[in-house]
Amino acid sequence: MHVPTDATAHLIRQAYDAGGPYQWAREGWRNSDESGATRIVFDVERQAAERLGVLRRVIVDDGAGMEPDDMRDFLTTFGGGGKPIGVDSNFGQGFKSSVLPWNPYGVVVISYTANTPEGSMLWIERDAEGNYRLREWDIEDEYGDIGRADVIAPGEDAEHGCDWSRVRPDWVKTGTIMVLLGDGPRADTAEGDPDPTRAETAKGLLRYLNSRLLDVPVRDGKALDTTVVVLERLRERTQNRRSSKDITVKLPDDDVLVVHQRKVYGTRYFVPKEAITGPAIKVDDHGTEVQWFYVPEPHQPVGGSPDYIGQKPVVVVNYQGEAYHADSSVHRYRQFGVTDEIRGRTWLVVRPPVYSDQRPTKWGVLTQASRNMLIAKGGSELPWEAWGDSFYNSFPKGLADARDQARAKTTISTDPHMAKNLSRILDRLNPRFKASRLVSSALGKIVGFPAGGKAGAPATRLARVPAKASSSGGVGGTAGSQDLVTESPGGPVSAKEAQLRGGYPTFIWKEFAKEHQKYLADYNPKDNGTDGDGNVYQGAVYLNVRHPVFVQEMTYWSDSVWPKADPKEVSKLVRSVYGQEAVAHVVHAQRLNGSVVGREADGTVDRLGPEDVKELVGRAALSAALLGLVNVEQRLLTQGGGLFGSRANAS
């Protein structure tokens, strides 16, 4: 099967659009790495800068280099280019599709090998019809005849302000140089792709490479040396002092640029040495593991300067030494049971098996063609929920201890005695509304991954002394024999739905993160712990102590209703009543899972499912449910009257 020549440009454009910012840098770095390089520099070409004031990004390595025919194949073959092709290796399109669309004027490639020490050069550009071609030069042979060639020896080029043979640094004996020319002979490419939606900069390039490479490869006992050159305009007041100490580039208009050479170390380098860790947690039957790191106070959660890497820990997927799907969001961390108190100090590295052509029946992950994201075998999304559930069910003690210590400092706790009242309220609800859960079953028609728990496992309840009994009652319930299952396409376990009793959430008052400040409440089903009265809770409803609605409620009840009472005690009561109301809403919504809500004309039953329940307990829905509650006001008046006196007496 062949691709028509005029279709190649469209395929390249599609692959470019599918890739993210700085994808060209990843592809260029990977090509240099695979050439056996020990040093890679993302430099700026100095001759054109000094002669013309043009700043061109250059990628230089000291690898094996390419012979002339190999260079031609590499740049003119889409889906090939001489390297092994496979889902776990190369697709033969990465560098071309990521760099050519934003360099239509051309990319110059110069390569040196043991057989061609004088070097070979070619130039690929886009023609007027939008297709890519190699530029041709007139050459004169030994007999004086003029011919055309697309691969030549590098030499002087006055039009473009450089001698191409002098772009080669002294440390390159063999290797390859790629010069990005942008959209014209005077285009600047040192900052990267000029597309405003990609917002690329030289400093961003440095941060990208440090974030994209999880670990820098080690070759012959030494880490692969990768440098990014960042140019900074020299300020007039510091010019005399700095120019004597720094490498500089003087532009034709007499402006001076300082050359900063920044190293690339890889993401793992920026996990501080003070971080605590433990054995990796296995999260599926395929061998996927999650390595965790927690950085205790007072140490900074991210090492190094913000010039080198982002200043937040992340959850990443380790795919062949590269970090994919880096995410620091609340949602991603909560999938793994990492609560807000420790999210900003916790790193998680997920390492799934790599899918390979050599093992087509084995589950694994592979890159999408643009190498901007990973997918699972069969083209499905990564099983984040299943991984998160398994990690959560085997939550590391080190992280749990850190969470409890952080929570004691940062949260506004509820009155522990309120847990007894809350438990009584929910005990009345629980028998009426049971949760629908997935449990393992050989005859089940739903597939997924083991969630790590057993069917029938209850939450711990308060010990009670039965009437006329000589001993105290124990914790009720026993663990069932069926495994709980998290639904996921391609999972190895068959499952069916079962109606089970679930544990009780708690409520916690706290300040919300900036991105969630507009909400009154937020439910996290993976926040487990023990409250102040010794009760184990399953999940937590967070209430935004700084939200204007709650602030106004606290002020109203303490200033207008019971002005003579201790305002702290009044606020405690308001928090307690609202917290119980929020938890009751969540519990009731969860128990509706599987409920029949209607029937179609053909007899088909319509049921509420897990996604419907998620909507009912989502931030927006839960916040709306806490507005305009008449029953809350009545409960506050009743309970507050016994504590602080009647409203009339209080006033």
Side-chain angles (χ1 to χ4, degrees):
M1 182 180 294
H2 299 278
V3 178
T5 302
D6 57 1
T8 307
H10 299 295
L11 294 176
I12 289 175
R13 182 69 199 192
Q14 286 182 336
Y16 164 80
D17 289 336
Y22 306 106
Q23 188 70 26
W24 59 272
R26 180 267 173 200
E27 303 298 338
W29 183 91
R30 179 58 69 189
N31 288 336
S32 295
D33 173 44
E34 292 176 348
S35 75
T38 62
R39 185 176 181 184
I40 304 170
V41 179
F42 287 77
D43 208 340
V44 175
E45 202 282 299
R46 312 299 169 80
Q47 299 174 80
E50 294 173 347
R51 296 180 188 178
L52 306 176
V54 177
L55 307 177
R56 298 178 184 138
R57 180 60 66 185
V58 181
I59 306 174
V60 187
D61 70 57
D62 64 351
M66 293 183 285
E67 301 294 349
D69 288 342
D70 295 334
M71 293 172 62
R72 190 181 289 108
D73 288 343
F74 171 71
L75 279 177
T76 62
T77 305
F78 187 73
K83 295 189 291 184
I85 303 298
V87 296
D88 57 342
S89 52
N90 299 291
F91 299 133
Q93 65 185 56
F95 183 75
K96 293 178 279 289
S97 62
S98 63
V99 77
L100 292 178
W102 65 278
N103 288 277
Y105 188 68
V107 175
V108 170
V109 180
I110 309 168
S111 200
Y112 299 89
T113 69
N115 295 327
T116 56
E118 72 283 359
S120 303
M121 169 179 155
L122 56 74
W123 181 323
I124 188 168
E125 61 187 356
R126 191 164 67 203
D127 63 23
E129 287 72 39
N131 297 315
Y132 294 97
R133 67 181 182 189
L134 294 181
R135 175 174 287 201
E136 294 184 338
W137 288 271
D138 292 331
I139 60 170
E140 183 177 346
D141 64 18
E142 55 184 318
Y143 303 106
D145 295 329
I146 302 297
R148 304 282 287 176
D150 53 23
V151 179
I152 61 173
E156 181 66 39
D157 185 347
E159 179 186 0
H160 297 96
C162 67
D163 181 338
W164 295 110
S165 67
R166 293 179 54 205
V167 179
R168 174 189 189 180
D170 294 339
W171 51 269
V172 171
K173 306 306 178 186
T174 64
T176 301
I177 302 168
M178 298 185 180
V179 186
L180 311 185
L181 302 178
D183 60 3
R186 298 296 184 268
D188 290 336
T189 60
E191 296 295 305
D193 190 340
D195 185 338
T197 64
R198 304 206 170 207
E200 295 186 0
T201 65
K203 288 185 177 180
L205 169 61
L206 174 66
R207 287 191 290 268
Y208 168 81
L209 287 173
N210 270 313
S211 300
R212 181 58 186 263
L213 303 178
L214 187 63
D215 299 294
V216 173
V218 175
R219 186 165 290 120
D220 298 328
K222 294 183 179 180
L224 174 54
D225 186 337
T226 302
T227 303
V228 174
V229 168
V230 178
L231 298 180
E232 184 179 80
R233 195 170 299 277
L234 197 62
R235 296 179 181 177
E236 184 176 352
R237 63 186 178 86
T238 60
Q239 184 166 338
N240 294 331
R241 179 175 63 85
R242 293 288 302 278
S243 60
S244 62
K245 298 164 42 175
D246 294 316
I247 301 173
T248 59
V249 176
K250 188 173 183 180
L251 304 181
D253 60 2
D254 291 333
D255 274 356
V256 177
L257 302 179
V258 178
V259 177
H260 297 291
Q261 301 183 67
R262 307 302 194 199
K263 296 296 183 181
V264 174
Y265 301 104
T267 296
R268 211 187 299 264
Y269 175 87
F270 295 94
V271 179
K273 293 181 293 185
E274 296 83 5
I276 63 173
T277 186
I281 305 298
K282 184 179 178 182
V283 293
D284 64 25
D285 292 337
H286 305 299
T288 304
E289 294 182 337
V290 178
Q291 183 67 60
W292 60 275
F293 303 89
Y294 176 76
V295 185
E297 294 188 62
H299 307 290
Q300 291 298 316
V302 181
S305 162
D307 285 346
Y308 285 82
I309 199 168
Q311 289 301 286
K312 291 183 179 179
V314 291
V315 180
V316 300
V317 180
N318 177 2
Y319 180 85
Q320 297 181 324
E322 293 185 51
Y324 281 79
H325 298 276
D327 195 340
S328 60
S329 69
V330 170
H331 171 71
R332 179 67 78 227
Y333 274 98
R334 286 187 183 176
Q335 285 181 312
F336 288 81
V338 176
T339 58
D340 298 354
E341 290 82 7
I342 60 173
R343 172 172 61 93
R345 293 185 165 274
T346 302
W347 301 73
L348 299 179
V349 181
V350 183
R351 187 174 62 83
V354 175
Y355 178 77
S356 173
D357 294 326
Q358 307 302 315
R359 301 181 301 277
T361 62
K362 300 291 186 180
W363 187 89
V365 302
L366 61 151
T367 60
Q368 170 233 33
S370 69
R371 295 193 181 277
N372 190 40
M373 62 178 290
L374 298 174
I375 55 178
K377 176 189 176 183
S380 58
E381 296 183 358
L382 299 183
W384 286 108
E385 286 291 344
W387 288 342
D389 287 348
S390 293
F391 185 85
Y392 162 70
N393 287 312
S394 301
F395 204 70
K397 184 178 184 301
L399 279 182
D401 291 344
R403 175 198 62 203
D404 295 342
Q405 292 173 11
R407 173 159 294 166
K409 299 177 182 178
T410 61
T411 62
I412 302 173
S413 61
T414 61
D415 181 352
H417 299 293
M418 288 298 103
K420 296 179 181 179
N421 184 40
L422 180 61
S423 182
R424 287 194 295 269
I425 294 172
L426 296 179
D427 261 339
R428 292 197 297 270
L429 277 178
N430 220 18
R432 292 156 54 190
F433 305 108
K434 295 183 179 180
S436 177
R437 306 288 296 277
L438 286 179
V439 296
S440 59
S441 172
L443 300 178
K445 297 181 179 180
I446 304 172
V447 296
F449 291 87
K454 294 287 187 181
T460 302
R461 299 188 188 177
L462 296 172
R464 297 178 181 177
V465 180
K468 300 181 180 180
S470 58
S471 61
S472 61
V475 176
T478 58
S481 60
Q482 293 173 293
D483 294 319
L484 293 175
V485 175
T486 300
E487 183 176 359
S488 179
V493 179
S494 298
K496 67 177 182 180
E497 288 190 357
Q499 295 293 318
L500 308 171
R501 294 188 62 167
Y504 301 144
T506 190
F507 59 90
I508 299 173
W509 287 82
K510 61 187 296 182
E511 292 189 37
F512 277 23
K514 184 178 181 180
E515 62 267 30
H516 299 144
Q517 287 175 342
K518 63 182 179 181
Y519 298 108
L520 280 78
D522 188 8
Y523 173 55
N524 181 4
K526 293 180 180 176
D527 185 347
N528 294 343
T530 305
D531 64 22
D533 208 29
N535 300 296
V536 176
Y537 58 83
Q538 175 76 32
V541 180
Y542 306 138
L543 294 125
N544 186 0
V545 72
R546 300 297 182 194
H547 196 281
V549 168
F550 290 135
V551 171
Q552 291 168 16
E553 279 287 273
M554 305 294 180
T555 301
Y556 169 74
W557 290 100
S558 61
D559 291 357
S560 301
V561 182
W562 294 296
K564 297 179 182 178
D566 184 346
K568 291 183 179 180
E569 292 300 316
V570 176
S571 294
K572 183 186 295 185
L573 173 64
V574 174
R575 290 199 301 266
S576 177
V577 173
Y578 267 103
Q580 293 176 37
E581 193 75 25
V583 170
H585 176 86
V586 169
V587 172
H588 197 162
Q590 289 177 323
R591 301 304 182 261
L592 291 176
N593 188 12
S595 300
V596 177
V597 293
R599 294 181 183 273
E600 303 292 342
D602 61 359
T604 304
V605 176
D606 292 332
R607 297 177 182 272
L608 289 174
E611 292 304 317
D612 301 313
V613 173
K614 281 185 179 180
E615 290 184 10
L616 293 175
V617 298
R619 295 187 189 97
L622 193 54
S623 297
L626 292 175
L627 295 173
L629 296 177
V630 176
N631 58 313
V632 165
E633 180 164 339
Q634 186 59 48
R635 288 179 60 196
L636 284 170
L637 286 172
T638 300
Q639 295 182 36
L643 294 171
F644 314 123
S646 67
R647 189 170 187 169
N649 291 338
S651 59

